[in-house]
Each structure stands twice: as C-alpha cells, then as structure tokens.
C-alpha cells in the first residue's frame, strides 16, 4: 500500500511563496499528473515528496508512514529527473544496478532485475555503454530503468520527456504508460504539456501559482474546469469566454442572445464554451450568436475559425469541407449542455 | 573591383603571416631559455664555465652528478618533496570541503568567506613567513617541514578552494540527488558519485599545490635553517656556488614543474573563472 | 535533509586555517613593526628602515621594476590571448607552451636567464661568435645597474606573463561568440571588435590579472637575487636580509608592512580604476 498523502504543505523560498498549503492524496497504484505552467511549483512539490526539499510547513505521508522528516533514501521512492541524471562514470548496467547495490540485493538477483528492466525499456543492447555514448532518448530509458529496478512504492517523474524531440516524446509516452500500468507503483508525474497529461494520467492535478486548483480525471478536467484558469489552460485552441449580462431569474444576455444560465446575484458572469462545442448552423435559432469571420485556419482534419461576436473574440471548430472566408457572417449555436459559467473570481457557477 | 579584392586578400595574407610569425617567435621566446638551461645542465662543468659556449649539450652527466653529490643537496631535495607533499595534502583536505560547501549550499556568511579567500590575492603571502617564524618558535614548529608546509598551504589554499569549487559546480546537483533517491546518504553519494567524477580535477589541484610549494623560495629561506628545501638551498648558495651547480639545480627545479603543468593544463582555466565574477 | 549546519562544518577548517595563518599573522606584522620585544610601542624600527641608505634605492627599484614590467606583460598577454582565442589548429599545444613559465619558480627563472646573460653565457657567446663584440661583456656586474635592471625585466616578462595570459584566455572564453558575429554584421573590423567588444567585456578579467600581477611585482625577489645579487636592492630582498642575515626581525617587519600597504593601496586603486558596474557585467 503506497498511498501518498500531502497535508497542508507550504513552501517559501525567502520571500517567494512557491507553494500555498497544498492538500493532495494520490491513491495506491494511481498515475497522477501534476500539470501547470512553468514556475507554478510542480517541481517544488515533487521534490518535497522526494525529500530533496524540506517543506516550510505541512506533512507528507507515504502509506501509513509519515516521511517528511526522513532522508530520500528512507522513503521508498525512486525519481526520474528532467535531465536524466545518468551517472557518467558508470555503465548503463551499473547505473541500473546502483540502487540495488545500495540496498545490498544479492548479485544474482541484481543481474536478473537489471536485465529485466533493461529489457522492458529496450536497452538490453546498451548495458556496457557509458552515458556519453547514448542518445537523449536512450539516456531517458536508462533513467527510467534505474528507477524501476529498485521496485519502489512510489515513482516520481519531473518532466521526464521534455528534453526529447516530438516524435520520440509521443513514442515514450505510450511506452511509459503501459510499463507503469503493469508495475504496482504509485506515480506522480510532473509536466507542463497538457497532451502528455491528458493521455497518460488516471488523474490530473492542475497547479496554478502554488495552489492545486483541480484534481480529477482528464475528461472531467476538460469538460468541467473548476475555474476559469483551468478552462483557459486546458484545451487547444483554448475555451472561449464571453461576457454574460445577468437579466435575472437565471437568464443572461450573451452577445445579443438570450440564454438560460444559473441563478446568481452578480450583474455579470462569464460564459465558457469550447470551440468544438459551437455548431455553425444555417438557420438562426434562439440563443444563437451572429459572428463575423476574421481568420480561417485549415488544419486538415478541421477548420479553426476565429470570429468576432459582439466585439468579443470567439474560436469555432468547423468541419473541413465548410466553405467560409473572412468577412462572412456565420450563425453560431453553442451546445447548451456544454456551456459553463464562471463568476468574476473565476470560480465555476453551477 | 577585382583589384580591390586582391588588395584585401593580400592584406589578409600579410595579417595571417604576421600572426604566424608572432606565434613561432613567442613559442621560441618561451622554449629557448629553458632549452639553454637544460643544455648547460647536460654539459661537463668545464664546458659550462668555458667561453664561448656551444648551444648543444655534450650529454655529459658530470654536472648533474656533482650537483647530486654536493653536500646538502640530497636532503634539500628530500625536504622539498616532503614539504610539497604535505602542502598538497593539507590544501586539498582543507580546501576541498570548502569548495564543496560553496558550490552546493546557500547560507549566511558565504560571501564573507569568499571575500576572505579572494583577499589573499591582495596580500604578498610570502611575507607571512615573518610573523609565523615568531609564532612557530613558540609552538616548536620552527625550522620544521610541517611549519613550512603550513605557510605553503596558505599560498595554495585559495587555489584549492577555487578549483574544487568550480569542479563541484561542474557536477550537476541532480546526479547527487539521484544517488540520494537510490539509497545513498550524503556521504555515500559523495563517495560513489561525486568523488569519482571530480577525481582528475582534484588530482590536478593537488599537483598545483605541489608546484606552488616546490617553487616557493622566500618563506622557505626565512623559515628553515637545518631543513632547507631545494630553492632555499640554492638561494643560499648563489654567492659562492659554481655555475654548473646553479644550473643543474635550476634544471632540477624546472623539470618536475614542466611535467606537472603538462598534467594540469586542462584545469588551468577553472582557477580563474570564478575570479572574473 | 538537515543541511543547516553542514556548510559551516565544511567551511570551518579552511576558515580557521586562514584566520590563524593568514589574518592573524598579518596583524602581527603590523605589531612587530611598531612594538619592541617587551611590547613597548615605538616608531624606531620605521625610522631605522627609512633612514637606511638602501631604503630609497630598494623602494624606487621595486616601483620602477613594476612600472616597467607590468604594462609590457599586460599588452603582451592581451596580444597572446587574442591570438589563442582565434586559433583553431594547435590551440592546445600553443597554449601549453605559452603557459609553461607558470610552473617555473622565480629562482629557476633567474637561473635560466643567468645562463644566458652571464659573462660566459650564451648571449656573450653569440655576440662574440658573430663578431659583434670581441670581448664578453659583463652584463650583470655591479658597475652595470642598468643592464641588471633590464635583465630582471626580461626574466620577469618571460616568467610571469603566463599567469595574465591564463586569466585573459579564461575571460575571453566567457564572451559569447554572438557578440562578435553581431558586430561583424554591423561592419565592425577586427580592431573595432577588439576595442568595442573584447576590451570592455574583458575588463573584470583585466582587473583580476592586473591586481594579481602588480602584487607579484612588489614581491620580486629571487629573480633579482639570482641575476643581480645585492647589486639591485629591492624591498623583498631587504626583508630577507633584515630577517635572515641581520636577524633584525622588527625592521624586517617594517619593510614587510610597507610592502603590504603598497600592495593593498594598489589593489584598491586598480579595483576602483577598472570597476565595472554590476549591471554591465556578462
Ligand atoms: N531553490 C529555489 N530558490 C528560490 N526560489 C525557488 C527555488 N526553487 C524554486 N523556486 C521558485 O519557486 C517557484 C516554483 O518553482 P518550481 O517548483 O521549479 O516550478 P515548476 O517546476 O512548476 O516550473 C518559482 O517561482 C521558482 O522561482
Ligand atoms: Mg519544474
């Protein structure tokens, strides 16, 4: 059982507050992705779990042990670093065996495990090489093998794929996901790449300026962003946000259209809808918007069309055989059940 | 147009040749004097004192043998060696931990320490021999190998700190952290990961400390009487020793230094990198 | 990890060492120069130093040597460093050869030039061999203070230019190549690039090199001893004479204090003259 519990962890570097009171539980064997823009505190949080950084306040539990006062070696974790940190003076074999030797595993067992994990990561041909003789992708594989070989309860990965080129990254993504799914470890995986997060995670924890703003399944994060920030951060092209004037009784004026929304006191809310959740229709219905096409970007599988709706910008995804050109007027019908509402603080209004 | 371009290339050719000539001249400027000393050393005493001189040696070892058998030379060599080894050990043992701390930690007083180290640059360090002579008499270190080695360590320590600082800074922190997550404590991670990676550099800075001590004249001459090092011995004999003894002595001083500088050449630059900041 | 005390623990040996064998002794130099063995404060050692006939000569010789040697070395080292930084082939070999003198002690350097400039030395052999002179010339005799001075200059330039070279090559290595490329795009020629990019960006290195070199120049001793004996008195030689030959350690301390003060004064002066504002650094 290696459930990770982070209780009110805060971290200050001098005057900068890197983390504000973080609470997070990662279930046993779960693959949790910490997602957020650069500088939001992901690495700091991961390093606090690893024991490489000390939290200013708060507790970290792994299983039923409180670990925040323990040295990294006593926490039952393994870590994969962004720059791989493959020991340059040791062969690939010795790198993978390093952790096993430290815990005094028998030589025959070491050999077995090194070969097995190297096989898993397809580096069994490279065991006698040194890090200087490996490509970036191969080093990455060594780093993962080394972490897996110790059969840790918890694997922590800090942007492990960010130094690889796009193609290799996609390949490794799939491979890592299947290997980690088969092992019994709990994983915290840090990335700033939302595609990586969406495709790999059991659960995504989205961080923003030292807080976790939402921690839930990828679909849920995408469909029901807890805050305006999450909505704007996840999805490419990003979610549209349009001003909605409160008419009372749950009715709103959005870009000239009357729409039903939540009952709320504020005079104004924001309506959010994803570009693919807006249909361009021939006939004008109630609650539809009139948009003027500004830019058309053909992307092969679909068109990305940027419109202006009552002086506000709105992106729409259209089928690639629709014929539109800048200056055209289009009728836009948002899918009612996909529309979300946010208040002035950016919090979701139900 | 065409004449203009040939003028340019002509100028460039002249510039290139003047640089090449400068390089050759400057290499000769460094090498010829050393060659002449060595040539002198491998000539017989009679040839050394003769006039005019040949510029190639007769490969006579009489001068060298005369030097080696000269009273006091053997023990001076041995003392030089002992002092240099002690200096090497002390400066690394004291300097390397400091270099490590500077490269790995942020802490109060870090800057003060750096100023203390860099301050040694503004002081004529061999002068330390004077007050330390007084201090050493009180504690019984006068005219000892250890006492002189302490002074030489003050000379070598700033270099040891700066070189090891840049060595440790060159090892990514992640390597150390990876070792911690793989079951090492701080000391184990240092021994298993950091130390093997910096060993060549540490050796170089040890050698550098050795050379500093091996070459030092002033403090050695002031602080030792019975336990003269080779430079101190030679300094004392300048007035009365025959030429062939001086030259052979000079050569014995120079040759180890040449080899050592060759061995540390890769690290010559890291000593000064930090000083530029 | 409990790191709070570890850095202090690691710095402790070096700090204690420097306090005990560096700062404290230099304090003692000042004390010794002004206090008798019984601890009575006095200026008689200072007076004794300044009133000795050799004092003025030693002081002016030392200063003139520094003034004659250091500028030559700076220019030469700068020239060598720019050559090295442009080299592609053979850079390492040439750099090794040029830095050889770094490993050679001042005494050995003095002896090397003694082999050349001695009355029976190689230079005289050459001059007589070529028929330029018909008698060997006594370059290093007591009547020829001027030639001794030049001999010491030669030996010093030969020996101690390498240290400046190393600092400057390291400094040039820190200047990003893009600056030169950008300047070239704007049409700056070689000399312009040198004066507009290399020199200003190299200022911190020049400062370090100059400081180090000037202080070493005030310590000049063994080269002079090897080439001129006592014919060319310098400050450091006087310290040695007082301390070791005359056993007059208080006057020696007075000389030492003088060298110390000159060194510190020049360090501060150079730091101020070649200061680079923090924002203008690389
Ligand atoms: N050692 C440190 N000292 C000072 N500030 C730091 C340190 N490490 C991180 N920070 C600051 O903490 C914040 C979070 O950093 P980090 O956790 O590295 O972000 P991320 O990994 O999400 O990009 C940043 O503002 C960063 O500047
Ligand atoms: Mg990060």
């Amino acid at each position: 059982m290696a459930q990770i519990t982070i209780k009110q962890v805060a971290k200050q570097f001098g005057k900068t507050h890197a983390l504000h009171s973080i609470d997070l539980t990662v279930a046993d064997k779960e693959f949790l992705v910490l997602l957020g823009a650069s500088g939001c505190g992901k690495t700091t949080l991961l390093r606090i779990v690893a024991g490489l950084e000390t939290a200013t306040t708060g507790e970290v539990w792994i299983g039923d042990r409180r670990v925040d006062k323990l040295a990294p070696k006593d926490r039952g974790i393994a870590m994969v670093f962004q720059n791989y940190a493959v020991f340059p003076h040791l062969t690939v074999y010795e790198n993978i065996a390093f952790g096993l030797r430290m815990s005094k595993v028998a030589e025959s067992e070491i050999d077995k495990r090194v070969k097995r994990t190297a096989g898993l990561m397809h580096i069994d041909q490279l065991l006698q090489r040194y890090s200087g003789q490996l490509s970036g992708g191969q080093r990455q594989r060594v780093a993962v093998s080394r972490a897996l070989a110790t059969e840790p309860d918890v694997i922590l990965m800090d942007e492990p794929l960010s130094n690889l080129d796009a193609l290799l990254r996609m390949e490794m993504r799939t491979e890592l996901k299947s290997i980690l799914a088969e092992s019994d470890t709990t994983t915290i995986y840090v990335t700033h790449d939302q595609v990586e997060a969406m495709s790999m995670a059991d659960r995504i924890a989205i961080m923003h300026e030292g807080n976790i703003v939402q921690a839930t399944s990828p679909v849920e994060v995408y469909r029901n962003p807890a805050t305006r920030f999450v909505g704007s951060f996840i999805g490419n092209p990003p979610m549209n946000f349009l001003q909605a004037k409160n008419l009372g009784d749950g009715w709103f004026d959005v870009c000239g259209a009357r729409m039903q929304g939540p009952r709320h006191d504020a005079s104004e809310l924001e309506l959010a809808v994803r570009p693919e959740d807006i249909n361009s229709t021939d006939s004008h219905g109630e609650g539809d918007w009139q948009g003027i096409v500004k830019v058309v970007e053909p992307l092969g599988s679909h068109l990305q069309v940027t419109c202006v709706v009552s002086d506000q910008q709105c992106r729409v995804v259209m089928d690639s055989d629709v014929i539109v050109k800048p200056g055209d007027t289009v009728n836009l019908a948002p899918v009612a059940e996909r529309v979300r509402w946010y208040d002035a603080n950016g919090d979701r209004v139900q | 147009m065409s004449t203009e371009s040939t003028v340019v290339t002509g100028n460039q050719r002249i510039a290139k040749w003047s640089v090449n000539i400068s390089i050759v001249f400057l290499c000769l400027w460094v090498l010829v004097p050393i060659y002449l000393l060595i040539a002198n050393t491998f000539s017989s005493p009679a040839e050394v004192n003769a006039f005019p001189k040949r510029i190639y040696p007769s490969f006579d070892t009489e001068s060298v043998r005369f030097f080696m058998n000269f009273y006091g030379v053997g023990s001076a060599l041995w003392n030089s060696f002992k002092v240099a080894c002690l200096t090497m050990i002390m400066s690394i043992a004291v300097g390397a931990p400091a270099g490590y701390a500077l490269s790995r930690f942020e802490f109060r007083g870090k800057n003060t320490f750096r100023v203390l180290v860099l301050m040694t640059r503004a002081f004529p360090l061999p002068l330390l021999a004077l007050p330390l002579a007084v201090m050493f008499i009180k504690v019984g270190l006068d005219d000892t190998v250890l006492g002189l080695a302490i002074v030489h360590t003050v000379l070598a320590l700033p270099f040891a700190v700066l070189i090891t600082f840049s060595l440790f800074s060159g090892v990514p922190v992640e390597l150390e952290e990876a070792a911690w997550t793989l079951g090492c404590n701080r000391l184990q991670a240092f021994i298993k990961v950091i130390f093997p990676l910096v060993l060549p550099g540490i050796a170089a800075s040890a050698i550098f400390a050795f050379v500093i001590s091996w070459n030092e004249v002033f403090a050695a001459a002031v602080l030792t009487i019975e336990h003269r090092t080779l430079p101190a011995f030679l300094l004392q004999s300048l007035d009365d020793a025959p030429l062939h003894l001086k030259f052979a002595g000079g050569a014995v001083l120079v040759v180890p230094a040449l080899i050592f500088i060759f061995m540390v050449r890769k690290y010559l630059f890291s000593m000064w990198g930090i000083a530029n900041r | 990890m409990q790191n709070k005390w570890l850095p202090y623990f690691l710095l402790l040996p070096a700090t204690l060492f420097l306090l005990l064998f560096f700062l404290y002794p230099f304090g003692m130099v000042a004390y010794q120069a002004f206090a008798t063995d019984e601890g009575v404060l006095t200026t008689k050692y200072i007076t004794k130093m300044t009133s000795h006939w050799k004092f003025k000569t030693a002081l002016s010789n030392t200063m003139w040597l520094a003034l004659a040697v250091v500028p030559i070395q700076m220019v030469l080292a700068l020239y060598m460093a720019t050559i090295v930084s442009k080299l592609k082939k053979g850079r390492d070999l040439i750099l090794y050869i040029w830095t050889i003198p770094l490993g050679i002690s001042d005494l050995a350097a003095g002896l090397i030039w003694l082999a050349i400039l001695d009355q029976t030395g190689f230079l005289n052999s050459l001059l007589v061999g070529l028929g330029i002179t018909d008698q060997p010339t006594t370059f290093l005799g007591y009547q020829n203070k001027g030639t001794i001075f030049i001999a010491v200059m030669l030996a010093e330039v030969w020996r101690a230019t390498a240290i400046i070279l190393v600092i400057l090559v390291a400094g040039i290595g820190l200047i990003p190549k893009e600056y030169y490329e950008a300047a070239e795009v704007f049409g700056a020629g070689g000399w312009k690039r040198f004066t507009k990019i290399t020199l200003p960006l190299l200022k911190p290195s020049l400062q370090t090199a100059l400081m180090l070199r000037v202080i070493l120049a005030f310590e000049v001793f063994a080269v002079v001893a090897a080439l001129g004996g006592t014919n060319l008195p310098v400050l450091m030689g006087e310290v040695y004479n007082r301390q070791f030959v005359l056993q007059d350690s208080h006057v020696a301390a007075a000389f030492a204090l003088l060298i110390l003060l000159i060194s510190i004064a020049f360090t501060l002066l150079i730091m101020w003259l070649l200061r680079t504002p923090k924002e203008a650094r690389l």
Side-chain angles (χ1 to χ4, degrees):
Chain A
M1 272 298 288
Q3 168 184 297
I4 305 167
T5 314
I6 296 163
K7 291 183 187 169
Q8 298 183 345
V9 162
K11 176 73 186 178
Q12 255 175 284
F13 292 106
K15 285 203 176 70
T16 42
H17 290 260
L19 297 175
H20 308 274
S21 190
I22 300 273
D23 281 294
L24 181 69
T25 306
V26 188
D28 186 32
K29 302 192 179 56
E30 187 178 26
F31 192 125
L32 178 109
V33 171
L34 278 181
L35 175 66
S38 161
C40 70
K42 307 178 298 287
T43 299
T44 306
L45 183 57
L46 195 75
R47 288 169 58 85
I48 286 173
V49 175
L52 299 174
E53 204 85 72
T54 323
T56 313
T57 56
E59 300 174 9
V60 179
W61 294 69
I62 294 178
D64 45 16
R65 283 195 310 157
R66 184 174 170 182
V67 297
D68 47 84
K69 297 278 187 304
L70 300 182
K73 70 184 176 73
D74 301 323
R75 296 189 179 199
I77 53 138
M79 185 150 168
V80 178
F81 292 81
Q82 185 169 0
N83 61 4
Y84 319 134
V86 174
F87 301 132
H89 61 301
L90 299 178
T91 59
V92 168
Y93 185 100
E94 284 305 320
N95 261 282
I96 302 177
F98 190 93
L100 302 170
R101 292 206 195 288
M102 289 312 300
S103 44
K104 306 238 176 343
V105 176
E107 198 60 36
S108 58
E109 174 69 12
I110 290 180
D111 195 58
K112 217 166 66 193
R113 280 214 237 167
V114 169
K115 293 204 166 125
R116 190 170 58 82
T117 44
L120 270 180
M121 296 305 296
H122 308 298
I123 47 170
D124 17 12
Q125 303 304 314
L126 309 174
L127 287 176
Q128 293 318 314
R129 295 222 196 151
Y130 288 90
S131 142
Q133 305 164 296
L134 302 176
S135 70
Q138 290 169 333
R139 262 177 240 171
Q140 166 65 56
R141 287 165 188 275
V142 176
V144 175
S145 305
R146 186 174 67 184
L148 287 174
T150 54
E151 296 177 359
D153 300 330
V154 171
I155 289 194
L156 307 171
M157 303 201 186
D158 190 0
E159 314 225 10
L161 305 184
S162 66
N163 286 356
L164 302 180
D165 60 54
L167 206 65
L168 208 53
R169 190 152 53 197
M170 213 154 75
E171 202 176 288
M172 278 300 288
R173 202 163 78 198
T174 320
E175 240 178 89
L176 266 185
K177 184 173 178 171
S178 82
I179 286 168
L180 288 169
E182 272 167 42
S183 74
D184 284 340
T185 56
T186 309
T187 308
I188 301 184
Y189 184 107
V190 164
T191 182
H192 66 267
D193 179 344
Q194 48 168 308
V195 182
E196 223 168 275
M198 298 291 282
S199 62
M200 296 178 88
D202 293 332
R203 209 152 56 94
I204 298 179
I206 296 183
M207 291 190 67
H208 182 48
E209 291 176 353
N211 291 301
I212 290 186
V213 282
Q214 189 171 15
T216 177
S217 72
V219 178
E220 190 67 7
V221 165
Y222 191 76
R223 285 281 168 249
N224 297 315
T227 66
R228 188 189 192 282
F229 167 78
V230 176
S232 63
F233 185 71
I234 300 276
N236 186 18
M239 224 170 184
N240 293 302
F241 292 93
L242 300 165
Q243 285 167 11
K245 209 167 275 152
N246 197 343
L247 305 175
D249 284 339
W251 285 93
F252 289 85
D253 174 3
V254 186
C255 303
R258 231 173 98 85
M259 299 181 76
Q260 182 139 38
R263 289 175 181 276
H264 201 268
D265 306 332
S267 67
E268 217 172 77
L269 290 182
E270 253 186 321
L271 172 146
V273 60
R274 295 211 174 268
E276 68 271 24
D277 295 333
I278 301 175
N279 296 317
S280 75
T281 52
D282 296 332
S283 58
H284 183 78
E286 199 203 357
D288 288 2
W289 305 318
Q290 293 291 140
I292 296 165
V293 175
K294 278 280 168 210
V295 184
V296 180
E297 296 161 272
L299 297 174
S301 59
H302 60 270
L303 297 180
Q304 181 176 311
V305 181
T306 309
C307 305
V308 173
V309 183
S310 303
D311 290 337
Q312 297 178 68
Q313 185 171 295
C314 178
R315 283 208 187 80
V316 184
V317 169
M318 294 186 191
D319 208 79
S320 48
D321 18 283
V322 174
I323 297 168
V324 282
K325 57 182 190 306
D328 289 356
T329 306
V330 287
N331 187 62
L332 301 173
V335 179
E337 57 272 25
R338 293 280 168 85
V339 166
R340 304 289 177 258
W341 302 84
Y342 295 92
D343 66 15
N345 296 328
D347 291 328
R348 181 153 175 220
V349 181
Q350 304 258 359
Chain B
M1 197 60 215
S2 66
T3 49
E4 207 178 290
S5 71
T6 49
V7 168
V8 171
T9 51
N11 274 344
Q12 278 174 346
R13 194 172 301 147
I14 292 169
K16 200 165 164 240
W17 274 106
S18 66
V19 167
N20 285 345
I21 289 169
S22 303
I23 291 176
V24 172
F25 174 78
L26 287 168
C27 286
L28 290 177
W29 158 251
V30 170
L31 291 177
V32 168
I34 297 176
Y35 164 79
L36 293 176
L37 179 76
I38 308 276
N40 249 342
T41 307
F42 288 106
S43 302
S44 67
E47 287 162 331
V48 170
N49 293 297
F51 187 85
K53 263 187 195 156
R54 282 180 320 190
I55 62 162
Y56 50 90
S58 61
F59 294 106
D60 186 303
T61 54
E62 175 69 30
S63 291
V64 178
R65 269 183 290 142
F66 173 79
F67 171 74
M68 292 311 259
N69 294 327
F70 195 84
Y71 176 76
V73 167
S75 76
L77 261 176
W78 177 232
N79 283 330
S80 267
F81 182 74
K82 279 193 289 189
V83 173
C85 284
L86 260 179
T87 303
M88 179 165 100
I89 293 166
M90 289 198 294
S91 59
I92 294 301
V94 175
Y100 181 77
L102 289 180
S103 83
R104 284 294 190 258
F105 299 95
E106 288 302 325
F107 53 92
R108 263 161 166 277
K110 182 172 176 170
N111 233 11
T112 316
F113 180 79
R114 281 176 59 146
V115 169
L116 182 65
V117 170
L118 292 179
M119 213 163 87
T120 56
R121 296 257 169 97
F123 285 68
L125 293 177
L127 288 177
L128 284 175
L130 305 187
L132 287 179
V134 180
M135 192 199 237
F136 286 169
I137 289 173
K138 284 188 195 144
V139 294
L141 277 177
D142 54 313
D143 193 19
T144 61
V145 166
L146 178 63
L148 183 55
I150 285 175
V151 180
H152 287 176
T153 304
V154 179
L155 296 176
L157 188 60
F159 291 95
V161 172
L162 294 181
I163 299 174
T164 54
F165 166 78
S166 93
L167 285 174
F168 289 126
S169 302
V171 179
V173 189
E174 286 86 354
L175 290 183
E176 214 171 349
E177 293 179 340
W180 298 344
T181 63
L182 289 166
C184 292
N185 59 30
R186 237 174 208 287
L187 187 62
Q188 288 168 322
F190 184 85
I191 293 168
K192 285 185 187 290
V193 176
I194 307 299
F195 189 66
L197 289 174
V198 297
L199 187 59
I202 298 272
S205 78
I207 287 170
F208 199 74
F210 187 99
V211 172
I212 286 177
S213 166
W214 181 263
N215 283 342
E216 204 283 327
V217 186
F218 184 87
V222 169
L223 283 176
T224 58
I225 299 159
E226 294 287 313
H227 296 96
R228 310 235 117 214
T229 61
L230 186 60
F233 171 84
L234 285 174
L235 184 75
Q236 290 260 287
S237 337
L238 278 179
D239 290 338
D240 37 9
L243 282 177
H244 49 278
L245 181 91
K246 292 184 192 176
F247 296 149
V252 170
L253 269 182
V254 165
V255 170
L258 282 188
I259 299 167
F260 288 148
I261 286 294
F262 182 73
M263 286 159 71
V264 303
R265 68 196 180 287
K266 233 176 81 189
Y267 297 91
L268 280 182
F269 296 97
S270 53
M271 305 175 223
W272 308 107
I274 183 187
N276 292 334
R277 302 261 144 187
Chain C
M1 304 197 102
Q2 299 77 23
N3 291 336
K4 230 175 131 210
W5 296 108
L6 189 55
Y8 296 105
F9 177 74
L10 292 172
L11 283 188
L12 192 65
T15 311
L16 284 183
F17 199 94
L18 288 177
L19 288 180
L20 191 59
F21 298 118
F22 167 60
L23 279 190
Y24 170 67
F26 270 118
M28 277 191 44
V29 169
Y31 180 74
Q32 266 186 304
F34 285 105
T36 61
D37 288 334
E38 291 76 38
V40 183
L41 290 183
T42 169
T43 54
K44 71 175 177 193
Y45 303 119
I46 305 291
T47 326
K48 199 165 166 192
M49 166 178 81
T50 50
S51 58
H52 193 269
W53 65 271
K54 264 189 180 176
F55 170 76
K56 270 209 185 92
T57 338
L59 181 61
S60 76
N61 281 342
T62 308
M63 296 305 246
W64 278 114
L65 263 178
L67 196 66
V69 169
V70 176
I72 295 177
Q73 289 182 318
M74 291 298 288
V75 172
L76 187 59
L78 203 50
Y79 180 59
M80 291 161 98
T82 41
I83 289 181
V84 166
S85 67
K86 285 196 196 111
L87 277 183
K88 291 178 192 76
K89 265 189 306 183
R91 181 180 189 271
D92 289 349
L93 177 69
I94 288 167
L95 204 51
Y96 168 63
I97 291 175
W98 287 357
T99 49
I100 283 176
L102 203 58
I104 292 177
S105 76
D106 40 1
L107 181 60
L111 292 172
I112 284 172
W113 284 87
L114 182 66
I116 296 171
L117 300 171
D118 189 52
Q119 191 160 12
T120 62
F122 288 101
L123 183 61
N124 270 322
S125 304
L126 184 74
L127 292 177
V128 172
L130 292 178
I132 296 171
T133 54
D134 41 42
Q135 282 288 314
T137 321
T138 317
F139 294 118
L140 303 175
Y142 66 94
Q143 329 78 323
N144 292 326
K145 297 242 159 66
T147 43
I148 296 178
F149 187 89
I150 291 170
V152 173
M153 260 178 76
L154 277 174
E156 280 288 282
V157 170
W158 180 82
R159 177 184 75 90
T161 305
I163 195 166
I164 308 177
L165 175 66
V166 169
I167 297 174
L168 296 188
V169 169
I172 288 179
L174 292 175
I175 303 175
K177 290 275 171 294
E178 292 79 35
Y179 292 171
Y180 292 99
E181 286 159 9
E184 212 168 349
V185 169
F186 286 119
W191 178 248
K192 262 261 160 63
R193 291 202 293 272
F194 177 74
T195 52
K196 297 283 175 195
I197 300 177
T198 311
L199 272 189
L201 291 180
L202 206 54
K203 215 159 93 178
S205 305
L206 288 169
Q207 188 193 46
T208 308
L210 192 60
M211 258 161 58
L212 214 71
R213 190 49 213 127
V214 165
I215 288 160
L216 286 176
F218 295 141
E219 288 173 32
V220 65
F221 167 61
V223 169
V224 181
L227 289 172
T230 50
N231 291 326
L232 191 75
V234 287
L235 288 178
M236 204 68 174
E238 288 315 296
V239 179
Y240 175 72
N241 273 338
R242 288 290 165 174
Q243 175 77 11
F244 198 80
V245 183
L246 304 174
Q247 302 279 322
D248 193 353
S249 63
H250 289 284
V251 180
F255 270 105
L257 188 63
L258 178 68
I259 299 175
L260 186 62
L261 293 179
I262 295 174
S263 297
I264 293 172
F266 271 83
T267 304
L268 296 176
L269 183 69
I270 293 166
M271 274 167 72
W272 182 74
L273 283 177
L274 289 180
R275 68 196 177 280
T276 316
K278 251 210 166 69
E279 310 79 53
R281 285 182 208 172
L282 276 177

